């Protein structure tokens, strides 16, 4: 694919898709991965499973904001224009709303309703993250060792302050030795 391809139909579809998803990105854009997969891979056929997973893996491995996987999905679908419209679509509504709400909340932090809303969003975010993890893990869903390793890693991340790089390294070693 040429990065300078001219694809206004694809760009418009990407922009509309990410614009619609933007306001639902509670906990970050990564929580929308299952719906992105459904729309971009299954329904529209703009990406295949390999490109979809690669976009997420590359963005998560790179330094910087993890929302960059959206730009990579746009790049794989519609070149440079696809990357640009995808980022504008995912960032514009949520950023505008987050700015407005954070200013409003900062002056009303002591309100019980604000505290209850914030506390109620925690399980929603955790559920969305678990759904994303499950959606990205079809290759290991039938492997008990890999599922056990995933559960142990999740527990370590939750209950300890072990650096993530050590956990990634441990997973790489176990995988390299053929244990998972």
């Amino acid at each position: 694919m040429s990065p300078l391809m001219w694809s206004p139909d694809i760009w418009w579809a990407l922009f509309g898709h990410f614009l619609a998803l933007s306001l639902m990105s509670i906990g970050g854009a990564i929580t929308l991965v299952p719906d992105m997969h459904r729309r971009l891979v299954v329904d529209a056929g703009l990406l295949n499973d390999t490109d979809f997973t690669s976009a997420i893996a590359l963005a998560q491995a790179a330094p910087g904001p993890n929302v960059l996987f959206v730009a990579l999905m746009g790049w794989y679908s519609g070149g440079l224009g696809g990357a640009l419209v995808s980022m504008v679509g995912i960032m514009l509504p949520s950023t505008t709303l987050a700015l407005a709400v954070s200013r409003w909340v900062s002056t009303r932090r002591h309100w019980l309703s604000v505290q209850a809303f914030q506390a109620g969003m925690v399980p929603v975010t955790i559920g969305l993250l678990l759904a994303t993890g499950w959606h990205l893990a079809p290759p290991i869903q039938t492997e008990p060792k890999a599922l056990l390793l995933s559960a142990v890693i999740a527990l370590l991340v939750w209950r300890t302050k072990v650096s993530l790089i050590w956990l990634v390294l441990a997973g790489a070693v176990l995988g390299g030795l053929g244990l998972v």
Side-chain angles (χ1 to χ4, degrees):
M1 168 189 314
S2 168
L4 298 178
M5 64 189 278
W6 180 254
S7 308
D9 292 341
I10 292 174
W11 297 345
W12 185 249
L14 289 168
F15 179 73
H17 169 67
F18 287 115
L19 190 72
L21 285 178
S22 180
L23 291 177
M24 294 186 292
S25 59
I26 300 165
I30 195 73
T31 61
L32 301 172
V33 163
D35 195 56
M36 290 177 188
H37 183 271
R38 182 183 57 79
R39 298 276 302 267
L40 297 175
V41 177
V42 177
D43 293 348
L46 292 172
L47 292 170
N48 59 39
D49 280 321
T50 302
D51 287 344
F52 186 84
T53 306
S54 296
I56 294 171
L58 281 171
Q60 297 303 310
N66 67 9
V67 74
L68 293 178
F69 73 91
V70 172
L72 288 171
M73 289 178 188
W75 177 272
Y76 289 143
S77 301
L80 180 60
L84 292 173
V85 299
S86 296
M87 286 303 289
V88 170
I90 198 75
M91 296 298 292
L92 187 62
S94 59
T95 302
T96 303
L97 180 65
L99 180 62
V101 169
S102 66
R103 287 179 180 220
W104 187 84
V105 167
S106 69
T107 60
R108 294 159 182 89
R109 191 176 310 267
H110 60 283
W111 287 14
L112 184 59
S113 59
V114 170
Q115 294 171 358
F117 179 79
Q118 289 178 322
M121 294 310 293
V122 171
V124 171
T125 301
I126 291 170
L128 289 170
L129 287 172
L130 289 173
T132 297
W134 186 254
H135 188 77
L136 291 174
I140 70 164
Q141 288 177 0
T142 58
E143 298 291 331
K145 289 182 195 175
L147 286 174
L148 179 63
L149 178 63
S150 297
V152 169
I153 295 295
L155 194 61
L156 287 173
V157 169
W158 178 36
R159 303 300 291 178
T160 69
K161 296 193 181 293
V162 174
S163 174
L164 294 179
I165 192 67
W166 294 115
L167 299 173
V168 170
L169 184 61
V173 169
L174 292 172
L177 294 173
L179 298 175
V180 286

